[in-house]
Amino acid sequence: MAVRIDEVLRFMEESLAAVGAPLAEAKAQADLLIHADLVGHFSHGLNRLELYINDMTNGICKPAASPVILKESAATVWVDGAHALGATVGNFCMDLAIKKAKESGVGWVSAKGCNHFGMAGYWALKAEREGLIGMAFTNSAPIMTPTRSKNSANGTNPIAMAAPAGGGDSLVVDMATTTAAMGKVEIQMRKGEMIPEGWALGPDAKLTTDAELAFEAGRLMPLGGFEQTSGYKGYGLSVMVEQFCSGLSGSNPSHKVPGWSYTQTQPPNMGQCFVAIDPERFAPGFQGRVKDCLDHYRSLEPVDPALPVLAPGDKEKKNESITRERGTIIYPQPQIESYNKLAVKIGVDPIKTEFI
C-alpha cells in the first residue's frame, strides 16, 4: 500500500508524542525511522515504531530524559544515555563527536544506558554532511551465533562509516556483522515469504529458510556464514564492535542485553559508539581520492551487464531518489492494518493510504 512520505512522518510523530515523547524528540525519532524506509531498509523504519512505543509505555525508554556527560577530554566523551529515545542519544553523542573533531581532529564518544538507535548509517551520515568521516556502532540483544556455537551470544553489532567525496558524492558503508539484521527476517514474516538459506539457524541449530522459525530461534549467522566460508570474520568484527560499545561505555554486553520484545520489562542498557574524524588534518585532497575510488569501482566491467558495479551506498541513494520522486512509500497491507489498530489504541488518526 502506498503512503505519502509526509503522511508517514505525521503518523510517526503523532504516535510518539501520544505516548509521552516531547515534540522535538518525536520529530527527531520519526526522521530517524523515515530515513530507513526512504533508502529501502524497511526493517528499521515504520516496522520498528510499535516497539519504540511499547518501550515508552512500559517505562523501559524515558522519552523526556536527557543524556549526561560523565567524563570528557579534548577528543573523547563518556555519556550516560539515561535510557532516552535512540534519536535523542544519537543526536547528543554525534553532535559531541562532530564538535570534538572540528576542535581536535577526532571525536570519539561512547555511551551506556542506550535504547535502539535505528540505522547506524544515519549517524555516520550526520558527520559526513559536516565534511567529516563519520562512524557509528551499537551492540544489541544476543541473536548472532559465534562460529562453532549452537547458541547466540552477540548482537547484530553493526558497523557504519560515511565519508565525503568530491562533487557532492559520498561513500557510505552500513552493515550488520550478521548475514542480515533480524528486522529483515521480520519483514519476510510480514510478507509471508521465506528467508534466504544461510541467514539463520532454527531451534534445532540447523539452517532454516522459515522466517518464523528463524525469528523464534534468534540465531542469526555471522557475516560469512559457517567457518568454512569465513564466518569467523563476521564473528570477529562483531566482537570488535562489542568492545567499542560495551567495553568502553560500561553498558551491558550483548549477552546480557534483554531481547527486544513486547514483553520486555528491563531497560536494555546497550552501548553505542560515535566517531567523527576531520580528514583535513591529514594529507590534502581526501575528498578527491575518495571520489577517484568510487568512480573506479563504478567503471569496472560487471559480470552481468544488467547489474552494474556499485560503490557502497549507491543502492540506498538510488532508492531514496526514486522514493522522493514518487512521493510515496510502499508498505505491505498487513503492516498498515496493524498500525491502524495501534492508532485506535493510542488515539491518533490512522495512516491514510494513496491509490497507485
Side-chain angles (χ1 to χ4, degrees):
M1 303 182 78
V3 185
R4 291 194 59 79
I5 297 168
D6 57 357
E7 172 63 7
V8 183
L9 273 171
R10 188 276 308 168
F11 178 76
M12 292 196 290
E13 290 170 7
E14 290 185 4
S15 296
L16 291 160
V19 293
L23 184 57
E25 306 312 324
K27 286 181 176 293
Q29 188 72 25
D31 189 70
L32 168 64
L33 297 177
I34 200 72
H35 170 78
D37 287 344
L38 287 171
V39 301
H41 289 279
F42 295 100
S43 56
H44 286 64
L46 179 65
N47 179 60
R48 289 295 192 210
L49 177 64
E50 190 169 2
L51 277 166
Y52 285 109
I53 288 173
N54 187 72
D55 286 352
M56 293 161 67
T57 55
N58 286 350
I60 292 168
C61 173
K62 311 295 184 185
S66 298
V68 178
I69 293 175
L70 299 173
K71 189 185 292 185
E72 186 173 12
S73 73
T76 63
V77 190
W78 177 34
V79 169
D80 181 352
H83 308 297
L85 276 165
T88 302
V89 177
N91 280 313
F92 182 85
C93 290
M94 188 50 92
D95 283 344
L96 279 171
I98 289 168
K99 180 175 181 289
K100 296 288 185 183
K102 289 181 176 180
E103 293 171 351
S104 303
V106 176
W108 191 292
V109 181
S110 288
K112 67 173 184 174
C114 299
N115 284 296
H116 293 261
F117 76 169
M119 277 186 69
Y122 179 91
W123 303 112
L125 282 165
K126 186 176 174 71
E128 184 273 332
R129 287 192 290 270
E130 296 290 326
L132 306 171
I133 298 169
M135 293 188 286
F137 313 88
T138 183
N139 69 357
S140 66
I143 54 175
M144 186 196 81
T145 54
T147 302
R148 302 185 182 182
S149 174
K150 283 187 175 181
N151 299 311
S152 300
N154 282 12
T156 53
N157 292 16
I159 295 170
M161 177 266 199
D169 205 348
S170 61
L171 164 65
V172 186
V173 176
D174 184 3
M175 63 181 197
T177 53
T178 50
T179 50
M182 186 57 81
K184 295 189 184 299
V185 176
E186 291 179 68
I187 292 296
Q188 294 303 101
M189 287 172 57
R190 289 185 184 276
K191 292 179 178 178
E193 298 177 3
M194 309 296 277
I195 61 171
E197 186 170 351
W199 274 19
L201 303 179
D204 58 358
K206 294 181 180 179
L207 282 175
T208 183
T209 57
D210 186 312
E212 291 191 12
L213 276 181
F215 184 78
E216 175 190 337
R219 298 174 181 177
L220 295 175
M221 295 293 287
L223 189 64
F226 289 111
E227 186 169 1
Q228 297 87 340
T229 52
S230 301
Y232 51 85
K233 295 182 181 180
Y235 170 36
L237 288 170
S238 178
V239 172
M240 179 190 77
V241 171
E242 186 68 59
Q243 304 321 311
F244 286 165
C245 296
S246 67
L248 289 177
S249 74
S251 73
N252 279 337
S254 283
H255 62 271
K256 293 182 179 179
V257 174
W260 200 15
S261 71
Y262 296 107
T263 57
Q264 186 178 339
T265 58
Q266 294 296 319
N269 184 23
M270 295 191 300
Q272 290 164 359
C273 183
F274 304 82
V275 182
I277 303 168
D278 183 0
E280 295 302 313
R281 304 299 181 102
F282 300 88
F286 172 79
Q287 292 195 22
R289 288 191 296 277
V290 177
K291 177 65 171 171
D292 177 63
C293 287
L294 299 180
D295 288 344
H296 179 70
Y297 305 147
R298 294 164 180 148
S299 71
L300 294 171
E301 183 178 358
V303 174
D304 182 346
L307 297 172
V309 179
L310 303 176
D314 282 358
K315 186 175 182 181
E316 288 76 9
K317 292 171 192 171
K318 183 177 180 181
N319 286 341
E320 181 171 8
S321 176
I322 291 171
T323 303
R324 287 194 181 279
E325 184 176 348
R326 187 177 61 229
T328 60
I329 302 173
I330 311 301
Y331 297 104
Q333 183 174 342
Q335 186 175 10
I336 298 299
E337 291 172 351
S338 174
Y339 273 106
N340 284 343
K341 289 178 183 176
L342 175 67
V344 173
K345 182 178 178 181
I346 61 177
V348 301
D349 290 338
I351 299 171
K352 301 176 181 66
T353 57
E354 301 282 320
F355 292 103
I356 58 170

